[in-house]
Amino acid sequence: MLNNVRCWQPTLPRRRSSGCPGGLGPPRSRREFLSTTSLGFGWLAFSGLATAAGDLEQGGRHLPARAKHVIFLFMDGGVSHVDTFDYKPELARRSGQPAEWQADDKSQAAGQNRKWLGPLWPFRQRGKAGLWASDLLPHMAGISDDLCVVRSLVGETPLHGAQNLLLHTGRSLGAAPSMGSWITHALGSENDNLPGYVLLNNDWIPNGGWQNFASGFLPATSEATLVRAEGVAVDNIVPADPPAVQRAKLDFLRQSAMRIGSSPATAATLESAIATFETAARMQTSVPDVCDVATETEETRQLYGLDRGTDHERFYALQCLRARKLVEAGVRFIEVTCPLTHANNAPWDQHGGMRKYHAENALITDQPVAALITDLKRRGLLDETLVLWAGEMGRTPHSSGTDGRDHHVSGYTVCMAGGGVRGGTTYGATDEMGMGVIENPLDIHDIHATILHCLGIDHKRLTYRFGGRDVRLTDVKGRVLTDILT
């Protein structure tokens, strides 16, 4: 944060000379000023926050907010849009015939001997709105009136790592803050005892690595805190010292840091580290409460499927239930990852064996996702929680076989619910074969802009000064999808 105030030069009184009553000594150094200011680094960091977060107005928002929280359900690997929510009867009719496509298609696979591959699961219209959804995701199909299905996303390149980073950070090359970090930096958490950004991990860090969840050049306090499904939920959360000793150590660390800070950049780094330590100390009492689901009713356990067949099913259900509890506890941004159940590049990345592994992934995720949205709604939390269900790409409507699809970014689907988004609706369209977008083409910056808008943030004003320019999540792109909002 202090990068934003590095040009500020305080006017400081000169020290009185000990040898001449009433005289002034040499001016104080920056280090002395910081170490003797009552709030130290923290106050200077706070003074830069408004600029860093793009002059957020009183209450922490530019606009009236529809949502307070975001839950991102990441479907890593690329769910097939033509097998889930983008029904293509012409693709079904021409299944098995030689495939042709336009030169501007961004599919991974191109060349000879490709054939159209129709939907592998039957489609039906669902709910009062008649939204088309396949039998692959029956529970999500059952809440179709709460879903907004966006069918016109266009990516940059059919590579998992690049597309994962694009989805998470708005940059396909990495080294940029994640969406969760931007939101947490702007709005913070509603609970001082918990981090603003929590990653509910299911044993798999996706392609692109930790950069998907990192704070980049934003303060480290906005980075994701990982909570595991299996084993110890959070590392180093069990206190090694009594509370009084911990407090004394933190106070000593802060006092020591004030004496060694020599530059705004160093001060900001130290301040972020100290704030992280202090949050960790408070988490020792809060994390066990939000991770423990023993007090949930049997009906809720059944709703999420906490006692289902495999560990993968149970752990994913547990993480979705924890997502609801984290919203209740005031956490701002929560991401839930998929587990990797088999030897593969990513959970949903089926170039072959799609009938088996897409079905397995659906069995793991479908019921808990629908349960989470249902549970939020009945508790009055869905209106203030924006849920995003998305992978980094879709899959080709054509194939070299009969049971697999390749990477496809020329037109794919994501779903949203709650938080000011209109349910039971679709937006955008691909052509009759599901190849390219023919109506309302979007890129991920439009989704990011819309999420920020729902949180009351103008994406063009949420900036951070880095590398000599004002950087933002949406780069120089992004438009708010007002047509899908209530």
Side-chain angles (χ1 to χ4, degrees), residues 179-193:
M179 170 173 51
S181 293
W182 277 108
I183 290 170
T184 302
H185 177 60
L187 300 178
S189 178
E190 292 183 329
N191 187 335
D192 290 339
N193 296 328

Side-chain angles (χ1 to χ4, degrees), residues 16 21 35 55 57 59 66 88 90 115 119 189 199 210 223 230 233 236 340 365 398 443 452 464 471:
R16 290 185 180 274
S35 65
D55 270 339
E57 296 174 2
R66 292 172 164 87
K88 298 301 175 186
E90 183 63 15
K115 295 182 179 181
S189 178
L199 172 66
W210 188 257
E223 187 160 313
E230 185 177 12
N236 303 318
L340 184 63
T365 63
H398 48 78
D443 68 21
L452 292 177
Y464 192 90
V471 184

Side-chain angles (χ1 to χ4, degrees), residues 149-166:
V149 178
V150 180
R151 295 170 169 162
S152 54
L153 264 291
V154 178
E156 292 183 357
T157 181
L159 299 174
H160 289 296
Q163 283 293 124
N164 283 345
L165 291 170
L166 182 67

Side-chain angles (χ1 to χ4, degrees), residues 91 183 206 222 276 350 352 360 395:
L91 178 64
I183 290 170
S222 62
T276 300
Q350 275 78 61
E360 183 175 87
R395 309 207 71 82

Side-chain angles (χ1 to χ4, degrees), residues 193-217:
N193 296 328
L194 289 168
Y197 178 10
V198 172
L199 172 66
L200 296 171
N201 181 252
N202 284 277
D203 76 24
W204 167 249
I205 297 297
N207 290 279
W210 188 257
Q211 287 190 75
N212 289 295
F213 320 111
S215 58
F217 47 74

